[in-house]
Amino acid sequence: EAESMRWDEPQDVYFADQTFTDEDRVCMAKNIYFEARNETRRGQVAIALVTLQRVKDPRYPNTVCGVVYDSKQFSWYWDGLSDSIRNYTSYEEIALLASAMLDTDTAMYDFTYGSTHYHADYVDPYWTDYMILKARIDTHIFYFEPPKLYTASL
């Protein structure tokens, strides 16, 4: 006798459930370019996934540009160094990737497991103490920041 199994969609599936603007696409492309232009395509997608997890998280701005330009969130934007694109071939490829990530037809397995943070493997930021380690991809380590729980005083 055959046994019936119920197959649910995996929890860690990313899909664009909102419409993004052309400005969001540029912000995403710049974020991937400056954070991961020398990484594998998988590493670049991981940066996009973290950015998009933050867009969905109520603790962060609800647009890609809002997340990317949020105060001191991504080092390339606030480090005081030039933000000029120098490798146009790489940027054009990344811009296509960014556009695909923001397309409502895109669905994929989130191999960062809902990560909201990451850092390069050669630094040790203070904030990792209260994060949950989720993945290591290329030269980045990915974390999830659990929501803070508050209890009511009686």
Side-chain angles (χ1 to χ4, degrees):
E1 190 173 311
E3 184 177 331
S4 169
M5 298 188 78
R6 183 173 162 241
W7 293 95
D8 289 330
E9 189 172 283
Q11 285 185 334
D12 296 310
V13 172
Y14 162 75
F15 60 93
D17 57 356
Q18 70 186 76
T19 302
F20 294 98
T21 66
D22 289 342
E23 183 182 17
D24 286 325
R25 294 173 194 286
V26 171
C27 291
M28 179 65 83
K30 285 183 176 180
N31 203 39
I32 297 168
Y33 176 83
F34 288 113
E35 291 286 319
R37 69 181 165 275
N38 295 322
E39 302 289 319
T40 63
R41 189 69 68 219
R42 181 177 171 86
Q44 292 172 354
V45 168
I47 299 305
L49 287 168
V50 168
T51 307
L52 291 165
Q53 286 295 350
R54 287 186 179 196
V55 170
K56 291 182 179 187
D57 191 316
R59 297 173 289 182
Y60 298 94
N62 63 356
T63 66
V64 173
C65 292
V67 165
V68 169
Y69 298 128
D70 200 11
S71 179
K72 296 190 177 183
Q73 296 300 305
F74 296 101
S75 60
W76 70 267
Y77 183 65
W78 60 269
D79 62 8
L81 301 175
S82 171
D83 296 335
S84 297
I85 294 165
R86 297 178 196 272
N87 183 335
Y88 289 101
T89 302
S90 177
Y91 181 77
E92 287 172 2
E93 291 172 4
I94 288 170
L96 289 173
L97 170 65
S99 188
M101 291 297 298
L102 300 180
D103 192 313
T104 55
D105 290 336
T106 297
M108 63 182 296
Y109 175 65
D110 177 6
F111 52 86
T112 71
Y113 307 101
S115 291
T116 53
H117 290 70
Y118 62 88
H119 65 81
D121 60 7
Y122 54 84
V123 298
D124 187 21
Y126 71 90
W127 48 259
T128 60
D129 293 343
Y130 58 89
M131 299 281 182
I132 299 169
L133 177 67
K134 290 293 195 168
R136 294 175 190 265
I137 302 165
D138 296 339
T139 63
H140 288 101
I141 304 170
F142 294 82
Y143 300 85
F144 173 72
E145 178 184 21
K148 291 179 177 62
L149 298 176
Y150 297 97
T151 56
S153 300
L154 297 178

